[in-house]
Amino acid sequence: MLNKKGIFILSIVLFVFSLTGIAIAQDYEIVHVYKIAGIPFGNVEESGVVQAGEELNVNAYQVAPTEADPAQQVRMIEDLIAKGVDAICVTPNDPSALEPVLKKAQSKGIVVVTNESVGQKGADWDIETVDPKLWGAHSFEKFAGFMDGEGEFALFVGGLGVQFHNDWADAALAVQKEKYPNMKLVTSRIPCGESIELAFTRTNELMKAYPNLKGITGIGSLGPIGAAEALKAKNMAGEIIVVGSVMPEQSAPYLKAGLIQAGSMSDPKKLGYSMVYVAKLLLDGEEIKDGMPVPGLGNAKVDFEEKTIRLHGVLDITAENAETLGF
Amino acid sequence: MKNIVKKYEFYLFIIIVTLVIFFAVFSDNFLNLENFMDILISSSFIGIMAAGMLVVLISGGIDLSVTAIATVAQYIMAITIIDYNGNLFSAFMVAGIIGILLGTFNAFLIYYLRAPALIITIATLNLFYGATIFVTKGKWIYNFPDWFNQSHNLFSFTSADESHFYSGISLPVVILVLVFILTYIILKYTVLGRKIFAMGGNFEAARRAGFNMLGLTIFVYCYIGFLSGIGSVGQVLILHSVQPNAIVGRELEVIAATVLGGASLAGGAGSVFGTALGVALLAIVWNGLVIMGVSSYWHNVIIGLIIIFSVSINAYNRKKTLRGY
């Protein structure tokens, strides 16, 4: 039998409990460990992480090593485990090198979410906002459009050992084989997509080795920039079609000058947002369901065997929109 | 001693000539002026840094921080140009002075700590590069003023139909040549150069001979700092972007080219001509492989084999010469 006083005390107790409940929710510490500090893609991704933190009422932030070094990431994650954070989101520099430390984090009850690392051991879920196969096919269709479906072309990747880039390139070439028999790849994929200087040099060499070269496409956001610089130096804007993955702001002057015809990129802000969003779901104890909506990224395709959540976030970049995208 | 160095350069030269003939036979597009200029442009930055590395190696030191110095100098130069405008001369001045300052820092640490230059410059590599990334967040820079983005060619070769500026002697290439000439003069014709050789040959003997060892150390590390600063501006003039994470990591390429060119890691030996050949060998092999259409999967393998081959010929030759004495 409760009297008024009892009800009052109970409601205060409940109120305080509910406050602690909110306090706990706010105290979720969700940390994104990126590949390398300070590259623009990572910076915009960080803004998505922070935005999710504000909207979802969690303490979310990004850390990253000064070099794209797996050992440095391992050390950072060790520190985060020691600090006792609630969730760790990682974009691994080397999936296998991170496996032990991620398993250690899981054993301490920390939620682990990865990106760009399908089938990561030691992760609760992997999130992919860009499917390399869909993106590669999508990008090649654009490229083929500018090429009028015919002619010799070369393909850049960031590195020959980068799984994502190889899947992207495989998908692009599959589209070419199937739909554009009059297009011809002149040589095997060239690893220069992450360096303007290398892409510049390779483009000069390719133009000499293959005088009929009509286009260059690829993955790795500096490949098209380097190719465009080579064309600019030789006053050859538009004589070789350049279509590939680019950062919008950086490629804007090249798109406007007709040195690059079109580009695409995954949307880093949405990516950063989605990782924190999913980490928060998991911390709240909610179930991951196929087809569940993620704000701004459509409905998830969930692969329960590979523990992968696939969302769609490829952004087409043109001379018109390149300057408005914020990265 | 002098004979051995001469012989080594000779064999290196033969290897390069053989490669050039080989590439020319297997591809019609290799041996022409345009490709020659392209190779020069592409290797200008590494070449300029290699000239500095040569001087450091001869003095018995090493500078792994060369790429970090270039990164810092390039970044500060870019910010200065964008914020305060200025001109080409001021761009080179800013980068050169930053290079000299960081080089001085290296020199003082190396001289007063009496620690191996290797470990000191690994430390300063991390310090310079880490601080740059920390302060700048590694942001790329590409919004240069128009005058900076124009091509800086001394004159241009135009193609037959006159539609393309096929190539020209661009400023970075001119700087590369000037730097090699300057380094040659310093090493060959100045007292300073002879002192640097003596310092690398036997540090203690040079000190007892009354050389100003601090002064020499400062000169050597400032020289490479200055050159990497200048070279980094040249690189921006070609690429029109500053990508702070793109240069660090290439210091081994610089050292490889210099040592391949006959400079001794133990100090006291090396020549400008050899260094030029070392830079040229690596640049020509990369270029030739792409132009011949060799699959990119083989490039690194072949580069590795050619370096081993060149060094083996040198080792074999040196053994033979030594036996001859």
Side-chain angles (χ1 to χ4, degrees):
Chain A
M1 201 55 192
L2 290 168
N3 56 17
K4 270 187 183 173
K5 204 177 170 189
I7 290 172
F8 180 68
I9 289 172
L10 187 64
S11 50
I12 285 192
V13 168
L14 283 176
F15 179 66
V16 169
F17 267 12
S18 69
L19 276 184
T20 18
I22 291 167
I24 286 169
Q26 276 180 331
D27 277 345
Y28 279 159
E29 192 170 352
I30 301 176
V31 188
H32 174 224
V33 183
Y34 192 58
K35 290 189 279 193
I36 180 167
I39 70 170
F41 192 90
N43 292 346
V44 181
E45 196 169 336
E46 183 177 20
S47 73
V49 169
V50 171
Q51 186 199 342
E54 283 162 7
E55 286 179 15
L56 305 172
N57 238 350
V58 295
N59 175 18
Y61 58 95
Q62 186 189 68
V63 294
T66 48
E67 280 167 72
D69 172 14
Q72 287 191 33
Q73 277 190 318
V74 169
R75 248 173 282 139
M76 288 191 144
I77 295 169
E78 290 277 7
D79 290 346
L80 293 174
I81 295 172
K83 198 179 170 198
V85 301
D86 298 287
I88 297 174
C89 309
V90 197
T91 316
N93 282 318
D94 179 353
S96 52
L98 290 191
E99 190 185 320
V101 75
L102 293 183
K103 282 187 171 158
K104 185 176 165 192
Q106 282 186 314
S107 73
K108 302 265 156 110
I110 297 171
V111 164
V112 178
V113 173
T114 56
N115 166 238
E116 289 183 15
S117 189
V118 174
Q120 171 75 49
K121 295 199 176 80
D124 294 300
W125 286 94
D126 180 68
I127 299 175
E128 297 302 323
T129 56
V130 185
D131 186 291
K133 291 169 191 146
L134 291 176
W135 186 14
H138 172 86
S139 176
F140 197 86
E141 289 284 2
K142 288 253 154 188
F143 178 57
F146 284 102
M147 293 278 286
D148 297 323
E150 58 175 32
E152 295 185 352
F153 70 98
L155 179 68
F156 290 172
V157 292
L160 293 175
V162 183
Q163 182 74 40
F164 187 93
H165 288 197
N166 282 329
D167 287 350
W168 193 101
D170 289 341
L173 294 177
V175 169
Q176 182 260 314
K177 277 213 181 79
E178 195 183 315
K179 293 172 74 175
Y180 303 101
N182 294 331
M183 291 176 77
K184 183 178 165 250
L185 180 68
V186 291
T187 181
S188 49
R189 59 198 70 173
I190 299 166
C192 62
E194 305 283 25
S195 158
I196 300 176
E197 187 164 19
L198 270 182
F200 175 89
T201 305
R202 293 293 166 264
T203 302
N204 276 334
E205 290 161 359
L206 287 167
M207 288 193 291
K208 271 177 238 91
Y210 310 100
N212 296 323
L213 190 73
K214 193 180 162 195
I216 291 173
T217 189
I219 172 91
S221 62
L222 297 176
I225 305 290
E229 281 294 348
L231 293 174
K232 188 167 121 190
K234 304 214 165 172
N235 206 11
M236 285 177 68
E239 293 187 34
I240 288 184
I241 305 288
V242 180
V243 174
S245 66
V246 290
M247 302 303 293
E249 194 184 281
Q250 185 181 22
S251 62
Y254 301 95
L255 285 159
K256 282 185 177 161
L259 290 157
I260 297 176
Q261 278 63 39
S264 53
M265 182 47 66
S266 76
D267 191 331
K269 193 166 183 183
K270 285 182 178 173
L271 170 60
Y273 184 95
S274 69
M275 280 192 285
V276 176
Y277 183 86
V278 170
K280 165 98 181 347
L281 280 188
L282 294 169
L283 285 170
D284 286 341
E286 289 192 34
E287 216 180 311
I288 301 295
K289 292 188 211 92
D290 196 26
M292 67 177 186
V294 174
L297 287 120
N299 296 333
K301 264 201 255 167
V302 181
D303 182 335
F304 288 93
E305 257 177 41
E306 276 191 324
K307 289 285 214 174
T308 300
I309 302 169
R310 292 186 193 279
L311 300 154
H312 192 59
V314 167
L315 200 57
D316 277 318
I317 299 158
T318 62
E320 287 75 41
N321 76 357
E323 277 172 334
T324 65
L325 297 168
F327 68 104
Chain B
M1 187 72 202
K2 216 172 171 189
N3 272 334
I4 299 169
V5 174
K6 264 198 175 145
K7 275 220 167 79
Y8 177 65
E9 287 161 353
F10 176 71
Y11 281 98
L12 197 59
F13 186 70
I14 296 294
I15 292 172
I16 291 177
V17 170
T18 314
L19 280 168
V20 167
I21 292 172
F22 178 79
F23 287 134
V25 166
F26 283 94
S27 168
D28 297 338
N29 309 304
F30 178 76
L31 203 60
N32 56 55
L33 186 61
E34 190 192 349
N35 194 36
F36 179 69
M37 295 314 288
D38 283 349
I39 292 178
L40 272 181
I41 289 171
S42 294
S43 45
S44 59
F45 184 34
I46 291 287
I48 291 168
M49 289 194 287
M53 191 63 78
L54 171 71
V55 174
V56 175
L57 288 181
I58 289 175
S59 81
I62 193 164
D63 188 354
L64 286 163
S65 71
V66 55
T67 47
I69 293 178
T71 304
V72 177
Q74 196 179 54
Y75 213 96
I76 294 179
M77 179 281 295
I79 292 170
T80 321
I81 285 294
I82 288 165
D83 287 357
Y84 303 101
N85 222 333
N87 54 36
L88 264 191
F89 180 72
S90 63
F92 281 107
M93 279 282 285
V94 169
I97 288 170
I98 299 289
I100 288 174
L101 288 177
L102 297 182
T104 313
F105 184 71
N106 272 339
F108 274 108
L109 284 181
I110 289 163
Y111 186 79
Y112 284 111
L113 296 181
R114 300 267 192 276
L118 178 81
I119 195 68
I120 297 284
T121 55
I122 287 178
T124 53
L125 164 79
N126 284 292
L127 178 67
F128 299 156
Y129 178 59
T132 310
I133 295 292
F134 177 75
V135 173
T136 64
K137 290 218 145 200
K139 235 175 103 63
W140 295 342
I141 300 179
Y142 33 78
N143 49 337
F144 287 100
D146 286 341
W147 63 263
F148 191 86
N149 275 345
Q150 282 165 2
S151 61
H152 298 280
N153 285 354
L154 282 197
F155 50 87
S156 302
F157 306 107
T158 314
S159 64
D161 60 4
E162 303 216 332
S163 62
H164 308 146
F165 297 110
Y166 261 142
S167 207
I169 301 187
S170 69
L171 193 53
V173 174
V174 176
I175 295 169
L176 174 71
V177 174
L178 290 179
V179 161
F180 272 81
I181 293 174
L182 177 66
T183 310
Y184 181 78
I185 292 172
I186 290 176
L187 289 176
K188 186 97 182 184
Y189 294 110
T190 66
V191 180
L192 181 64
R194 305 325 293 173
K195 282 181 178 172
I196 291 170
F197 270 100
M199 176 188 179
N202 189 332
F203 187 91
E204 198 48 35
R207 196 180 63 81
R208 291 197 184 164
F211 293 173
N212 177 356
M213 301 313 279
L214 175 61
L216 284 177
T217 309
I218 290 177
F219 173 79
V220 163
Y221 288 93
C222 283
Y223 190 64
I224 190 170
F226 175 72
L227 292 192
S228 55
I230 297 287
S232 73
V233 181
Q235 195 214 24
V236 188
L237 285 176
I238 301 170
L239 303 174
H240 306 127
S241 286
V242 171
Q243 189 191 348
N245 59 346
I247 306 176
V248 167
R250 301 184 71 189
E251 56 280 346
L252 291 181
E253 212 176 311
V254 176
I255 293 170
T258 318
V259 173
L260 193 57
S264 163
L265 283 170
S271 75
V272 173
F273 185 51
T275 300
L277 291 178
V279 174
L281 177 65
L282 294 179
I284 286 171
V285 174
W286 276 111
N287 178 279
L289 289 176
V290 179
I291 291 204
M292 267 179 63
V294 174
S295 160
S296 48
Y297 293 95
W298 282 101
H299 291 179
N300 283 316
V301 177
I302 295 171
I303 288 274
L305 288 175
I306 285 179
I307 293 179
I308 291 174
F309 180 71
S310 314
V311 173
S312 315
I313 285 202
N314 176 35
Y316 174 75
N317 190 48
R318 196 166 40 200
K319 244 184 186 170
K320 236 173 49 179
T321 322
L322 285 179
R323 242 181 263 136
Y325 279 111

